[in-house]
Amino acid sequence: SSSRALVARLGCASGRWKTLQDGFVSRLKGVRREGTMLAMPVEPPTGVENLGRVPTVCGGVPLTRILGIGDPVTDVMVAVEDEFLQEIGAEKGGSSHAKHEDVVQILEKAKGAVVVPGGSTANVLKGLANLGLGVFQCYFVGMVGNDEVGKVYEDNLIEQHVVPCLSRCSKGTPSAKSVCMVTEDGQRTMRTFLGAACNMEKDHWPSDVMTNGLTLFHVEGYCLYRPELALQSMRDARKAGATISMDLASFEVVRNKREELMQILKEELVDIMFCNEEEAAALVEDHEPCIKKAQDLVLQYCQVSVVSLGAKGCIARHRNGECAKVPAFPVKVKDTVGAGDIFSSGFLFAYLQGYDLETAARCGCAAGSAAVQVVGAQLPLEDWRNLREQIYSILGS
């Protein structure tokens, strides 16, 4: 069905949940059928028990094991004007939770819709898995509804070379969806209905299988809305000796959950912290970007602070004094949905292999530049190939 038909169905007065599911499924099946990546020869996933498997061996060498936790969110991208954001009271560039009714109302007013599987941590893992074919094995932990949308989301993770470790919500709540409102300048403003994802709590976390050769654990800032789950998972990762990375995700998250964030930082549960300028300002409770002040704060508790600056590139600093400021690659921006996540993938891909901050930052900027040239955070096959070649060229130089 067309995007317009999908939006029309979402606004129906009756049977909204069913039409919501049907609309997303039809659009997602189109994404899956078109196929952005070829499937890796991985075992069919059955849930969190996948965490207990020994990492696949490639050419006699075990793959580096990477684990992430987050919200399995399906993104619905719509083009809007700045006036539209003002009309609905949305602060440009932000991301916050919304009721299902709010999502429906936005889609009723917006023009068209493009559906792409998303979620901050999932985007990072897809990037690492695609850049690190034959190097990394990535696992994603989250909760979906017992519905077709959740199944399609799981299938998409497999196509993107990520092993799904998904719990199913037993309460009948549908899988999560997010409306990504993209303005003419490519900036995204998000309103997310978490659905089943918000039902994942500390008790669902598989602590007993965390220590199986874990190298990196990645957490999205949205997990701060469930602080007990975030703390438990990060403490387990720390006990396992893994490097822990975190993306602050949104300035609204930082504003709303600053106390929980500071608790995590003070326990020194984060090694690498990613944020953008707006999130940095929110972290130090300033209305203007204060990058140095924010990084000084982060480096009291973390080894590395990375601030992405959009078209201006990024600044990466290490606690030992190492610093790198790298310009962005000049490209035409379609939208910025997931660009920060793919930037993190590029940075981590190099950093985990022992490259210095400048090289990692250049790889991050290359990845972020590729992401803003497509709609959504999922690159087509040819784009992943080109990006891998570009990043390997950066590493070789």
Side-chain angles (χ1 to χ4, degrees):
S1 62
S2 68
S3 299
R4 186 173 297 175
L6 170 62
V7 175
R9 288 202 306 277
L10 287 173
C12 291
S14 62
R16 284 183 171 180
W17 278 121
K18 186 178 186 305
T19 55
L20 181 66
Q21 299 294 84
D22 291 346
F24 276 92
V25 169
S26 64
R27 297 291 295 175
L28 279 171
K29 282 184 176 178
V31 172
R32 179 172 54 182
R33 186 167 52 250
E34 293 164 8
T36 55
M37 294 295 296
L38 298 176
M40 275 185 80
V42 297
E43 300 172 33
T46 55
V48 294
E49 58 269 25
N50 281 319
L51 287 171
R53 295 211 312 262
V54 176
T56 301
V57 174
C58 181
V61 179
L63 299 183
T64 299
R65 193 165 185 264
I66 295 173
L67 175 65
I69 185 171
D71 297 327
V73 179
T74 296
D75 292 334
V76 187
M77 278 153 297
V78 294
V80 301
E81 303 292 337
D82 286 342
E83 291 75 16
F84 181 86
L85 299 179
Q86 296 172 8
E87 179 186 339
I88 65 172
E91 190 170 357
K92 188 173 181 178
S95 177
S96 64
H97 295 165
K99 297 178 181 179
H100 170 243
E101 292 76 13
D102 297 332
V103 171
V104 170
Q105 288 177 6
I106 292 171
L107 290 176
E108 285 176 339
K109 297 177 182 179
K111 301 175 182 179
V114 177
V115 181
V116 179
S120 180
T121 290
N123 290 339
V124 173
L125 294 178
K126 290 175 189 177
L128 283 168
N130 280 293
L131 294 175
L133 290 175
V135 180
F136 299 147
Q137 184 160 43
C138 299
Y139 300 77
F140 174 71
V141 177
M143 179 172 283
V144 295
N146 191 20
D147 52 28
E148 187 66 13
V149 173
K151 185 180 185 305
V152 173
Y153 190 95
E154 180 178 66
D155 290 346
N156 180 261
L157 286 172
I158 298 171
E159 290 172 357
Q160 293 287 314
H161 314 317
V162 176
V163 180
C165 304
L166 300 174
S167 299
R168 293 292 193 280
C169 180
S170 61
K171 299 180 180 180
T173 310
S175 299
K177 295 107 185 162
S178 179
V179 179
C180 306
M181 296 166 283
V182 183
T183 46
E184 189 175 356
D185 59 1
Q187 180 63 278
R188 99 290 185 268
T189 304
M190 303 172 73
R191 289 296 175 266
T192 302
F193 171 72
L194 283 177
C198 67
N199 288 296
M200 185 171 183
E201 300 293 346
K202 182 177 71 171
D203 293 342
H204 296 105
W205 176 248
S207 297
D208 55 332
V209 292
M210 274 293 300
T211 59
N212 188 16
L214 188 63
T215 297
L216 174 74
F217 182 59
H218 184 78
V219 185
E220 62 186 51
Y222 300 112
C223 285
L224 293 172
Y225 286 104
R226 283 155 292 162
E228 291 186 359
L229 173 62
L231 283 167
Q232 182 66 54
S233 61
M234 297 173 84
R235 286 166 179 165
D236 287 343
R238 179 60 79 217
K239 290 177 184 176
T243 296
I244 303 175
S245 56
M246 184 176 192
D247 191 321
L248 291 184
S250 165
F251 60 78
E252 290 173 319
V253 172
V254 180
R255 288 176 186 170
N256 295 333
K257 292 296 177 180
R258 193 175 188 281
E259 182 178 346
E260 290 83 354
L261 173 60
M262 291 308 301
Q263 180 182 354
I264 285 172
L265 288 176
K266 289 176 180 179
E267 282 196 36
E268 298 192 350
L269 293 174
V270 181
D271 298 300
I272 306 170
M273 178 70 81
F274 293 97
C275 69
N276 61 27
E277 289 181 277
E278 291 78 15
E279 293 151 10
L283 184 61
V284 293
E285 301 179 294
D286 202 311
H287 295 295
E288 298 295 330
C290 301
I291 297 169
K292 184 180 184 305
K293 184 177 179 182
Q295 289 191 308
D296 287 345
L297 173 62
V298 169
L299 291 174
Q300 292 180 39
Y301 311 106
C302 307
Q303 294 294 319
V304 176
S305 169
V306 185
V307 179
S308 57
L309 308 174
K312 296 178 289 185
C314 73
I315 299 176
R317 288 174 55 191
H318 194 287
R319 184 185 285 180
N320 65 11
E322 182 183 2
C323 181
K325 184 173 182 178
V326 174
F329 292 79
V331 295
K332 185 176 181 180
V333 177
K334 285 190 176 180
D335 77 47
T336 60
V337 176
D341 303 326
I342 304 302
F343 166 88
S344 299
S345 300
F347 183 96
L348 290 168
F349 175 73
Y351 192 78
L352 290 175
Q353 296 183 80
Y355 290 91
D356 60 20
L357 283 188
E358 182 175 357
T359 303
R362 289 173 63 198
C363 290
C365 286
S369 295
V372 299
Q373 296 180 74
V374 300
V375 176
Q378 195 155 284
L379 274 63
L381 174 61
E382 189 60 31
D383 288 10
W384 279 123
R385 287 175 176 164
N386 293 337
L387 179 57
R388 279 197 297 270
E389 291 179 5
Q390 183 181 6
I391 284 181
Y392 286 135
S393 176
I394 292 172
L395 298 181
S397 64

